[in-house]
Amino acid sequence: MRKILKPILLWRDRINQKMVGKHADLWLGLTSSAVCGILAVVMLFLSPVLGVADDGTLDSVMKGAGLAYPDGYEASASYFVKDYVWNVNQGTGYHSVQTLVIQAAKFISQAVTGGRTFDIRFLAFLYLLMFLPAVMLFVNAASSRLPKFSQKLVPAAGAVIILGDVGYLTYFNSFYPEALIIICLLYMTGAALSLQKGGKWEYVWLFVFAAAASVLCFVRQYCFLAGIAGMVFCLLRISDQEDRKWKTAVVLATVFMAVSSMGSFLFLEKDFNKADKLHAMTRGVLLQSDNPEETLEEFGIDPSYSMLADVSAYDEFPVTTGENKILEEEFFSHYDTGDIVRYYAKHPQKMLSMLELSARANMDVVRENCGNYEMSENKPPGARSVFWSAYSIFKNRSLPKTIGYMFVLVIISAAVTARGFSLKKKKDCKKRVYFDWVITMTLFCVAATCFVIIQSGEAALIQYNCQLGIVTDILLYLTITETLELLNIL
């Protein structure tokens, strides 16, 4: 065994020595970004073109962008649709920062093709332009935490395996918000971890972080919590330097994110409707209740409505819908968001049970019921591509789908970071920045999940809670990176 290991160890030491001072972090980031770009081109632009089929929740986004399905096509989870009809310049449906990106893609499409048929690959092209620098920044920040080049190869390869997975990249050929959420979280993580380095670039990373958090606020209304999370992280950075310019910059970034968070909450169209208010009770409070009759009495609702426990307006043959006038008078009038918050505050174990349901539904970023192929490819309905899907398959089959898994990752990160951790301003900025971001990102994820549960119970989790799976993947990636330095196995 020694004879086998000796040349490997000699090669490792030689390459580590050779790469000292060679900007290895930057080059590895660029390499990972380039490989992800090649994978994206193969998946999104070459035949067979891959995307994510419409599960029926994208109608308002398409209307907001002034797009519609061509004649003979309709929303279907079975097959992905690549081409759309450009109805109007300005739509009347849901408007957000995603709408602006789609509008930009529409005008590029018209400039290139000269027609009013929209090929969704132009949208994927814009997403890719934003995504690749985010990957570079993310890998550069993660690898810079490791001292040896042989160790840095792991986060570089890990980014390609995770972020280049078909489950992530196919969202670029779709109207789902996941693409922008993934991109913004990568920028935020990369910029946050880059603040560990110090130097003249700190102001740039602070700007990138604040900008990404603010954009994320406007992807969907429920994402306003990203601005609050960003504010918390920035406020923790005030003490990093005594310089007044730095403190002023941090305060300005914090105010900018506060305004963005408030603007998102006040001006974006609400994500939740009357059906969601029904589900907040039937698929949330009553779903976890041991005695639905007693629970209803806590809200002042007739106990006979316990028959609605577990009922969904999205059932094929629903018992009732959110537009039922009788419900308005005898059911909805007895509770609002504040009442449900107070209920979960008095029964925290019920919220933990709902978080567990959320983990089962959202730990996988992919939509398992949505196909990746166009109908013209003659694939079975709902068929999914297995090209570069090792991570999503491993995650689906082997990784735990429980909220405890996320907390275990946080605990491991905290334990590893605690080794040599110091609250002194400059002694261990690397440890503090990492720990602060891991905790902040986790709290954002949990808070956003709780917000969705309070507003709509379990029914809308798949539609509005992709950040749980994304953040868990980032935590796994960072935990492995941090553990490499501690174990020193490479």
Side-chain angles (χ1 to χ4, degrees):
M1 181 64 80
R2 286 184 179 179
K3 289 182 179 180
I4 297 174
L5 287 177
K6 189 174 181 179
I8 297 175
L9 294 176
L10 287 173
W11 175 85
R12 181 202 65 182
D13 294 339
R14 194 180 304 118
I15 196 71
N16 284 339
Q17 187 64 34
K18 185 177 181 180
M19 294 303 297
V20 172
K22 300 290 187 181
H23 303 291
D25 302 324
L26 176 61
W27 286 111
L28 287 173
L30 289 171
T31 302
S32 295
S33 178
V35 175
C36 284
I38 293 169
L39 291 170
V41 168
V42 173
M43 295 180 205
L44 305 176
F45 301 102
L46 304 180
S47 182
V49 177
L50 302 178
V52 184
D54 182 357
D55 62 1
T57 63
L58 299 177
D59 182 63
S60 62
V61 177
M62 291 175 60
K63 286 182 179 178
L67 296 170
Y69 285 104
D71 291 340
Y73 289 86
E74 59 183 16
S76 169
S78 298
Y79 294 103
F80 153 66
V81 176
K82 177 170 66 69
D83 298 308
Y84 298 84
V85 175
W86 185 343
N87 275 351
V88 293
N89 290 341
Q90 297 293 329
T92 57
Y94 192 92
H95 288 89
S96 68
V97 70
Q98 183 188 14
T99 312
L100 298 179
V101 180
I102 298 173
Q103 292 285 6
K106 281 173 60 180
F107 287 109
I108 294 174
S109 173
Q110 186 183 45
V112 173
T113 65
R116 292 177 70 86
T117 297
F118 176 67
D119 188 328
I120 201 170
R121 287 179 292 182
F122 287 99
L123 177 60
F125 172 72
L126 288 185
Y127 281 146
L128 199 58
L129 289 182
M130 294 183 281
F131 175 72
L132 295 182
V135 174
M136 187 275 293
L137 177 61
F138 180 70
V139 174
N140 178 59
S143 64
S144 66
R145 299 185 61 79
L146 299 170
K148 304 293 185 181
F149 180 77
S150 54
Q151 297 171 326
K152 296 174 186 288
L153 293 173
V154 175
V160 173
I161 293 170
I162 296 174
L163 301 177
D165 190 274
V166 66
Y168 274 103
L169 292 181
T170 47
Y171 276 116
F172 293 4
N173 266 345
S174 79
F175 296 118
Y176 292 103
E178 273 81 348
L180 273 177
I181 294 173
I182 291 164
I183 291 167
C184 289
L185 283 173
L186 288 179
Y187 274 115
M188 290 177 71
T189 302
L193 296 184
S194 294
L195 289 171
Q196 70 194 5
K197 304 173 185 177
K200 61 183 180 180
W201 286 92
E202 281 199 323
Y203 293 94
V204 174
W205 305 136
L206 183 64
F207 171 79
V208 171
F209 180 85
S214 299
V215 170
L216 181 52
C217 286
F218 288 98
V219 174
R220 282 291 186 275
Q221 190 203 48
Y222 78 93
C223 292
F224 79 95
L225 291 164
I228 298 175
M231 289 167 55
V232 172
F233 179 77
C234 275
L235 289 173
L236 292 170
R237 304 276 65 75
I238 287 181
S239 62
D240 285 354
Q241 297 184 31
E242 292 299 328
D243 182 24
R244 184 175 294 179
K245 286 171 57 179
W246 171 254
K247 293 182 184 295
T248 302
V250 172
V251 170
L252 289 175
T254 303
V255 171
F256 182 61
M257 287 183 284
V259 172
S260 299
S261 182
M262 189 179 301
S264 169
F265 189 76
L266 294 178
F267 299 116
L268 282 191
E269 182 181 328
K270 291 184 178 180
D271 295 307
F272 306 101
N273 53 33
K274 281 292 184 182
D276 292 309
K277 186 171 183 178
L278 172 69
H279 297 147
M281 183 64 70
T282 63
R283 299 292 300 170
V285 172
L286 296 181
L287 185 67
Q288 296 298 329
S289 175
D290 300 323
N291 191 323
E293 289 82 4
E294 288 185 5
T295 300
L296 288 171
E297 287 180 349
E298 285 189 50
F299 288 88
I301 300 174
D302 190 326
S304 64
Y305 280 99
S306 60
M307 69 176 69
L308 294 181
D310 200 29
V311 163
S312 172
Y314 303 140
D315 291 336
E316 188 173 358
F317 301 103
V319 173
T320 186
T321 67
E323 304 303 322
N324 191 322
K325 291 184 178 179
I326 297 176
L327 288 180
E328 188 66 47
E329 299 172 3
E330 300 182 8
F331 197 74
F332 293 148
S333 61
H334 289 275
Y335 68 94
D336 56 20
T337 300
D339 295 318
I340 293 178
V341 170
R342 283 189 288 273
Y343 173 81
Y344 283 123
K346 289 192 292 185
H347 304 87
Q349 72 278 11
K350 305 301 182 186
M351 177 55 78
L352 285 174
S353 297
M354 291 300 296
L355 286 172
E356 194 66 21
L357 285 178
S358 174
R360 294 176 197 170
N362 298 108
M363 202 57 78
D364 292 327
V365 177
V366 299
R367 279 173 160 80
E368 293 290 348
N369 62 320
C370 296
N372 289 147
Y373 293 96
E374 294 182 271
M375 188 180 294
S376 59
E377 297 296 332
N378 296 317
K379 298 286 185 179
R384 298 190 55 78
S385 173
V386 295
F387 174 73
W388 205 260
S389 60
Y391 178 71
S392 55
I393 292 173
F394 169 72
K395 185 178 181 181
N396 181 51
R397 294 180 180 177
S398 303
L399 292 182
K401 295 183 181 181
T402 170
I403 199 68
Y405 167 55
M406 169 182 276
F407 291 137
V408 166
L409 292 176
V410 173
I411 291 169
I412 294 173
S413 287
V416 172
T417 308
R419 182 172 175 264
F421 185 88
S422 173
L423 291 175
K424 293 182 179 180
K425 287 182 174 54
K426 273 302 187 181
K427 185 174 180 180
D428 205 352
C429 190
K430 174 182 175 182
K431 300 284 187 182
R432 288 192 296 110
V433 169
Y434 175 85
F435 182 74
D436 289 346
W437 178 240
V438 165
I439 296 299
T440 304
M441 182 169 52
T442 305
L443 290 177
F444 157 65
C445 176
V446 173
T449 303
C450 290
F451 182 77
V452 174
I453 289 169
I454 289 165
Q455 294 287 345
S456 64
E458 171 261 359
L461 284 173
I462 293 178
Q463 184 178 354
Y464 296 124
N465 198 37
C466 71
Q467 69 277 348
L468 180 61
I470 298 168
V471 168
T472 304
D473 287 345
I474 292 175
L475 284 174
L476 176 64
Y477 176 89
L478 294 179
T479 302
I480 292 173
T481 300
E482 203 68 9
T483 306
L484 280 174
E485 182 180 8
L486 175 65
L487 298 180
N488 197 31
I489 57 176
L490 296 179

